[in-house]
Amino acid sequence: MAKTAVEMESQIRDISLAPQGKRKLEWVKAHMPLLNNMEERFREEQPFRGMRVAICLHLEAKTGYLAQVIQAGGAEVAVCGSNPLSTQDDVVAALVDSGITAYAWHNTTEEEYKMLIDKTLDFNPHAIIDDGADLVSILHSQRPQQARDVIGGCEETTTGIHRLKALAAEGSLRFPMMAVNDAYCKYLFDNRYGTGQSVWDGINRTTNLVVAGKTVVVVGYGWCGKGVAMRAKGQGAKVIVTEIDPIKAIEAYMDGFQVMAMQEAAAQGDVFVTVTGNKDVIADRHFDAMKDGAVMCNAGHFDIEISKPDLEERAASVREVRTNIDEYSMEDGRRLYLLAGGRLVNLAAGDGHPAEVMDLTFALQAMSLQYVVENAKKLKPEVHPVPEHLDRYAANLRLQTMGIEIDTLTREQEEYLKSWML
Ligand code: NAD
Ligand code: ADE
């Protein structure tokens, strides 16, 4: 059959994988009722008619469906991956088959990764959806002229928000960006319960080892760390938390976890999970203190949390012992194991968060994109919170789809809550 224009333009692994990718998309569509609702609404209202939208996200099935929902809203869509290991080639093939231009394949080199982002920006998007702020960063550092033509966009994750705020603080951000990560219906559920479940899914399926009875060290007790620690405890692990924030440290302690400095935890852990968004949180002499057989993985956005250079420097040899597990043999005979090359374990060695969780997140993405596009003239080139009414709309719709009814305030209760007199 003759190739379509989208297929000719796209750069992907193998279009013949499309039927397998379509089945993955069908499965998530059956579990993402909020996005089903947005798709129907967008098809009617066409909020993105005539626009080009570039999406840089972890390209697995849930993200694929989001891209199709934006397309249903009238946009021409191009996608690329937000991590060299999280792209699923079959999903990408199915997207191309449905008319979405894709520049992505699994396991890119760093050069290929950057080249594919560049290709996506050559698509000249009017609006963007970013996960980790790579599109925004390249637009501002290498394509400042083009950045002026972008109407606005949305950011998915904590690390991306940090980067956007740094850009805005310099006064250099050229267009409004919606901080989707910071919406209640995002971080309370996606970062906490989504990461809590999917990180353990990634670790369990990769290692096929028992968790019960082991000592798990969770590095960072933010929204993601809380979920990872909670689910480690649920599987019967003894959990240690390390932090640099005294308030989060007390929170972890009051939640029933042991809290200590990383150097002390390094000697006790059987499994280490980093989830800080910070660099070198396991580094240098931490490796010297670890037990033979210790397993390390990262769930933070970039692969900089566990220092691979320090680990490599100490290793006499490195070999892959199982898919996604590298064994570092130390000079003294100890063996340390790193999962998924230190890239976020739930996406590089798993399928990411559960569909029902990403349904809330991606409903917020879809609504925030519509909001930024419709309000582009009014919004300053800053990082903007998702308006509370959209957050509440998503929460109510989610409750509705779960068949859960909640109470509403009576008029008397409303009055009472507004009054100050006894
Ligand atoms: P957060 O800001 O809520 O939490 C990060 C925590 O790490 C903070 O409490 C901070 O004090 C702590 N921290 C920083 N440096 C530390 C150090 N040296 N040692 C110990 N603790 C340290 O952020 P979050 O929402 O939990 O996100 C964390 C990372 O995970 C980010 O990179 C984010 O982009 C990423 N993320 C990943 C997924 C996923 O699917 N894997 C999902 C959401 C977010
Ligand atoms: N699937 C797609 N994007 C994701 C994300 N940012 N976190 C977890 N799972 C995902």
Side-chain angles (χ1 to χ4, degrees), residues 54-132:
I55 297 180
C56 177
L57 288 172
H58 300 290
L59 290 179
E60 44 82 28
K62 282 95 70 183
T63 324
Y65 184 30
L66 172 67
Q68 291 180 330
V69 169
I70 305 296
Q71 182 191 37
E76 256 185 88
V77 177
V79 297
C80 63
S82 59
N83 182 288
L85 290 185
S86 61
T87 296
Q88 298 191 10
D89 290 321
D90 49 4
V91 171
V92 167
L95 293 183
V96 170
D97 198 50
S98 69
I100 289 173
T101 307
Y103 303 103
W105 59 83
H106 179 76
N107 203 5
T108 57
T109 63
E110 289 290 336
E111 292 70 39
E112 287 168 344
Y113 179 75
K114 287 190 183 121
M115 179 275 286
L116 294 168
I117 290 187
D118 252 327
K119 281 267 165 205
T120 309
L121 290 173
D122 287 345
F123 178 72
N124 282 318
H126 301 102
I128 62 171
I129 297 181
D130 224 346
D131 184 335

Side-chain angles (χ1 to χ4, degrees), residues 274-293:
T274 59
V275 64
T276 67
N278 201 354
K279 67 187 285 209
D280 299 340
V281 297
I282 300 184
D284 198 39
R285 63 199 176 98
H286 299 145
F287 297 120
D288 301 334
M290 285 181 183
K291 297 193 278 196
D292 178 33

Side-chain angles (χ1 to χ4, degrees), residues 12 54 105 124 168 188 200 203 230 235 244 249 268 302 345 417:
I12 66 169
W105 59 83
N124 282 318
L188 286 178
W200 284 106
I203 297 171
M230 185 200 311
Q235 290 180 88
I244 45 103
Q268 298 187 30
F302 286 118
V345 68
L417 291 174

Side-chain angles (χ1 to χ4, degrees), residues 156 181 184-196 224 353 357-358 361-362:
E156 166 82 2
N181 179 74
Y184 291 119
C185 280
K186 204 288 187 174
Y187 69 83
L188 286 178
F189 310 117
D190 172 315
N191 297 30
R192 184 168 41 175
Y193 299 109
T195 312
C224 294
H353 296 352
V357 171
M358 292 315 287
T361 299
F362 285 162

Side-chain angles (χ1 to χ4, degrees), residues 169-245:
E170 278 178 12
S172 305
L173 186 60
R174 291 272 164 261
F175 45 82
M177 285 293 291
M178 304 301 295
V180 173
N181 179 74
D182 296 352
Y184 291 119
C185 280
K186 204 288 187 174
Y187 69 83
L188 286 178
F189 310 117
D190 172 315
N191 297 30
R192 184 168 41 175
Y193 299 109
T195 312
Q197 178 167 331
S198 64
V199 159
W200 284 106
D201 174 31
I203 297 171
N204 292 344
R205 71 162 91 166
T206 303
T207 62
N208 192 27
L209 294 175
V210 78
V211 180
K214 292 218 167 95
T215 298
V216 170
V217 178
V218 179
V219 186
Y221 202 65
W223 290 108
C224 294
K226 289 187 216 310
V228 173
M230 185 200 311
R231 296 306 183 224
K233 185 178 173 181
Q235 290 180 88
K238 290 172 265 193
V239 181
I240 296 173
V241 168
T242 72
E243 252 296 343
I244 45 103
D245 180 328

Side-chain angles (χ1 to χ4, degrees), residues 309-372:
D310 288 359
L311 191 54
E312 275 155 21
E313 202 182 286
R314 282 164 166 75
S317 63
V318 185
R319 64 179 183 131
E320 189 181 46
V321 286
R322 192 176 147 94
T323 305
N324 279 320
I325 308 185
D326 287 333
E327 177 187 74
Y328 288 76
S329 296
M330 304 287 114
E331 299 284 358
D332 61 12
R334 284 173 310 129
R335 290 149 304 170
L336 304 181
Y337 296 97
L338 180 65
L339 308 189
R343 297 205 183 270
L344 60 193
V345 68
N346 60 328
L347 283 145
D351 293 306
H353 296 352
E356 300 93 326
V357 171
M358 292 315 287
D359 193 25
L360 256 180
T361 299
F362 285 162
L364 283 168
Q365 282 286 7
M367 290 191 293
S368 298
L369 190 72
Q370 180 175 15
Y371 177 84
V372 80

